[in-house]
Amino acid sequence: MKYIIATHGHLADGYASAIKVLSGNQDIYTLNAYVDGQFDVTAALKSLLDAFEAGEKVLIFTDVIGGSVTQVVSRLIGEYNIVCITGINLGLVMECIFAGEALNDQRIDEIVEEARRQILCINHILKD
């Protein structure tokens, strides 16, 4: 399985940097959308996907559910063996990567649900 983090701006590189520091995993690919005025997200993503082995499962993480990057990924799901998770945080991405080949639809749902539970306002917790 391959992993792509595709975000607006350089956020993808930031995620990849943190993951490499925390996990040592160097097999993370990034797509930093709109870092210059002429960036074609569809062409860049297709080029990256075409570099992988045909039919290989690719897990793509995107930043915003309604964003243009997620829309591009969504349009390519039927063309490539893609699973897309959007609205990501670092813990979610790390859990998916650590799951490796054991990552199936059920495990993805569990990881997404756990990530939802971890989004908290610490101030409110400290009050209690």
Side-chain angles (χ1 to χ4, degrees):
M1 181 178 312
K2 299 289 187 197
Y3 305 97
I4 298 173
I5 303 171
T7 65
H8 297 83
H10 294 283
L11 183 60
D13 280 344
Y15 271 103
S17 173
I19 290 163
K20 289 173 185 177
V21 166
L22 296 170
S23 74
N25 189 325
Q26 301 295 314
D27 201 25
I28 311 291
Y29 300 86
T30 60
L31 188 147
N32 298 290
Y34 311 115
V35 294
D36 63 35
Q38 304 300 328
F39 194 83
D40 182 342
V41 177
T42 303
L45 184 56
K46 281 186 161 194
S47 177
L48 184 55
L49 291 166
D50 288 340
F52 300 150
E53 187 175 314
E56 182 165 19
K57 188 172 187 176
V58 180
L59 182 55
I60 302 178
F61 302 98
T62 64
D63 51 1
V64 182
I65 190 169
S68 57
V69 175
T70 304
Q71 291 176 32
V72 167
V73 173
S74 296
R75 286 192 294 269
L76 297 177
I77 286 176
E79 190 175 336
Y80 297 91
N81 189 8
I82 294 171
V83 174
C84 180
I85 300 175
T86 191
I88 61 170
N89 64 41
L90 186 59
L92 179 145
V93 176
M94 293 287 294
E95 285 292 327
C96 288
I97 290 170
F98 284 143
E101 294 303 319
L103 191 64
N104 56 30
D105 288 345
Q106 178 183 345
R107 185 67 186 119
I108 288 171
D109 289 344
E110 292 168 359
I111 292 169
V112 167
E113 188 54 41
E114 179 59 28
R116 284 186 185 123
R117 286 192 298 270
Q118 292 179 12
I119 299 172
L120 305 167
C121 179
I122 295 297
N123 297 59
H124 298 159
I125 293 170
L126 293 175
K127 284 183 194 177
D128 299 335

